[in-house]
Amino acid sequence: MKKLGLIVNPIAGMGGKCGLKGTDGIEILERARKLGAEPEAPDRATAALRRIVPLKDDVEIVTVSGDMGESEARALSFEPTVIYTTDHSTTTSEDTRRAAKAMAAAGVDLILFAGGDGTARDIFSAVGDGPICLGIPAGCKIHSGVYGINPRTAGELAAMYLQDKIFDTAHAEVMDIDEDAFRAGRVSAELFGYLTVPRDPVRVQGGKAGRAQKDEHALDAIAFYLMDNMEPETVYILGTGSTLFGIKQRLGVEGTLLGVDVTRGRELIGKDVTERQILDLLGPEGGDKAKIVVTVIGGQGYIFGRGNQQLSPRVIERVGRENIIVVAAKAKIAALGGKPLLVDTGSEEINEELSGYMRVVTGYSEQIAVRVAS
Amino acid sequence: MGIVKVRKNYHQARWDEPMIMEMSTPGVRGIIPPEPEAEIVDAVGDVAGALPEGTRRKSPPALPEVDQKRVLSHFLHLSQETLGSNLCADLSQGTCTMKYNPRINEDLANDPHFAYMHPWQDDETMQGILHMYWTFEQILKEVSGMDRFTLQPGGGAHAVFTAASIIRAYHRDRGELEQRDEVVTTMFSHPCDAASPHTAGFKIVTLMPKEDGYPDLDALKAVVGPHTAAVHITNPEDTGIYNPIIDQFVEVVHDAGGVCYNDQANGNVLLGIARTRDAGFDLCHFNVHKTFGTPHGGSGPGTGAMGCRDEFAKYLPYPTVEKDEKTGKYYLDYDRPESIGKIKGFLGSAGVVLRAYAWAVMMGPDGLRETAEMSALNNNYFLKMLEKVPDVYYPYAEGHRRLEEARCSWIKLTEKTGVGTDDILRRVGDFGLQHYWSSHHPWVVPEPMTLEPCETFSIEDLEEYAQVLEIIAKEAYDDPEMVKNAPHKCAVHKRAAEEELDDPDKWATTWKAYQRKHGKK
């Protein structure tokens, strides 16, 4: 029998309708309540869970007490196992983290959670990219790529995964914005990491690119192109993220998923390096030739300033714009829907220098020219 | 308006038909020819012995062993499980230009005087067919403004490949091939404008549209330079948007020393209205199985008629069809030392060229112009009809006129109901209509639907299709499962694993591959 972990963040989304941009923190929740916000996440979770009802006899639901999952499951006549009990009436992010940990320890096949970017962050910080997860979109902020496009499709996808109709998985970005900054009118999304989600380009957000080439095939083509054009004496600063991680693996470099790694030719000379270490490895101006390889954050378009702050204005200046190689699967560029690539390096001057058109390597001898906006 | 009948109670034949190889029974024969008479055997001698040793089979070919009756019913069953242009209005196959193919042209192509010609006949004995080739070339020259055409390529991508090969030869002769290794195209051009030059050895740079949906001149200026071999571009683009500054695109590329190729496979809306030469292009092609009314024929045969300016004519593939002005005789010219070579057997798809020639002559110059006008009018009329369909809109240059086709989006419906374009297009089949074409991949327009109601469709055809889309869009709200699990009344049901289509370990184009990859043997 398959085990489905269910976590509902019952307060997710409450800040949205009353213009509070999010519901992170007790204070904001109180403000939302005063402004008349009603919980919506339980209904959204139920809409998703309804798609699992036909599998009732084949799936055991493992969940959290009260409206963090148990009530929603019982409402649809499931008989869930409560693996974690909250001891207060207003649940917190700590409850989400503890519940996710307990589920990972219990070896559930899939953690289905209802919430927003804050909830995805909590799950990620508790369990990393090990267990297979999937989000039911219920929060105000949905920048992460871990959600179904709506509650129903999230439920369908979960059902298909539990029936082994989909067995492919992929890393999907966990993004969140700084709510205080957002309320003050600045959008500043950060990449926090990756959750492993069932791979289905039609049902998962940010992957609306049709029956596109599989990521692995795109990565193969990009990696072979880079390999065939790599110069043995040049220093390569390989950025963060799942695309670059895939390329690092194909180059035979033992690099990191969330860190910046440095090679000379294909030989690793710095793993998970800081800005300082990169500058030390590069040496003085006029020293070794260097290239930066970065990718595009799916759905958003950032190439610098999100999840790769090690690639600072000083590093970019030392390497030079002409030595920046942006790589991405074609589908990722298509999914931007004509929006430009974005940079937020912390230096107006460097942002300006990076703006204009850049060629993104999308395959073997294939590039797409995309505008970069600062 | 005439009668519009939406076929709500339609059901397609569904035969659960095995593959013909699975119907094979050892020893069964369709026809058993009589043994030849002794005197014939004596006169002919040892036929097998006349074949060179290396070409003789060691074992008989693995052909299906099935009797005539079963072969006939097998293929009849299969034909009943298709929805083709003679069965319904397939105005939905955007970018394909699925217009009506006049039946009389089939009679012409099947006429024994034409059909039984031998490809190795002497030029002297096929003056009729050569006259037809030569005259059709003159028509194409007039329509496009180009100086020469070849009718050899077997389709559009083949024509683009031929052009890329000519462009290689051109830069080679100027000593610049090594330097000029990039071909530029746009995201909304046909993908063969990237794929064919890539196959011909060029690197490809694709331009995204501007945020307003129009092609981006600044992006072109940013990428064009000493490495540029050519631009390969479709206009109107797949969105149905005409690039209003196409002449400036051409100028930028020419100024950098590049060549300009116009993919007008679907040139329906240009006929008699706009000539590619006048916009400055150096080469172009028309798919006659789109623009010139010949059948698509299920992946061929087709013809990509490729034209060029005089400067490039010496590179055209051989043979070309020439006319001796003194004698008035036509002949095939194989003596073309700078030609890129031979790209297809004999005369190419002669039957297709005949149909295209007949279509063009029947239409006449005014008819060609009317084709362009009617195709744009039909499309815009259809888009107006679609306003009654919930949530359909066309992003990229939203609100601007489309020409002969439009790429719409269902994303608003998908976000509200979970029903996507792949569901809707399958459901269309349940009403006895050809499903629509979504888009090339990857999707730039989310949840896309590309429609192209050519000039031959009637107002009733348009209304029928619009009504069916309206019914399905409403179903998406009321009964989404009905749409998501469609089709229900077609020969083929919903595919369980769509991704397997793109998995080289799963797809099989031959019986042998099917057995091997699916563990049947």
Side-chain angles (χ1 to χ4, degrees), chain B residues 112-134:
Chain B
H113 295 96
F114 175 79
Y116 293 169
M117 286 184 66
H118 195 282
W120 277 344
Q121 272 180 228
D122 191 86
D123 296 1
E124 277 285 336
T125 68
M126 52 179 188
Q127 287 295 302
I129 190 171
L130 294 181
H131 166 79
M132 184 264 289
Y133 263 66
W134 189 87

Side-chain angles (χ1 to χ4, degrees), chain A residues 204-263:
Chain A
V204 177
Q205 293 201 352
K208 300 161 194 146
R211 213 178 61 234
Q213 192 184 25
K214 273 189 166 183
D215 285 351
E216 306 91 85
H217 297 159
L219 281 175
D220 283 346
I222 293 167
F224 277 127
Y225 185 65
L226 292 179
M227 267 187 242
D228 286 356
N229 290 284
M230 268 180 131
E231 298 150 5
E233 289 310 312
T234 296
V235 173
Y236 289 89
I237 303 163
L238 306 172
T240 58
S242 57
T243 301
L244 261 295
F245 186 61
I247 286 170
K248 289 168 190 175
Q249 287 177 318
R250 284 163 176 78
L251 294 177
V253 173
E254 276 191 41
T256 52
L257 173 63
L258 291 176
V260 171
D261 305 300
V262 183
T263 63

Side-chain angles (χ1 to χ4, degrees), chain A residues 300-329:
Chain A
Q300 296 204 333
Y302 278 99
I303 53 174
F304 286 110
R306 296 290 178 273
N308 60 7
Q309 281 83 350
Q310 304 93 315
L311 304 173
S312 66
R314 287 177 67 195
V315 172
I316 295 169
E317 195 172 17
R318 163 69 176 81
V319 173
R321 187 190 199 274
E322 69 283 5
N323 289 316
I324 295 171
I325 303 171
V326 184
V327 300

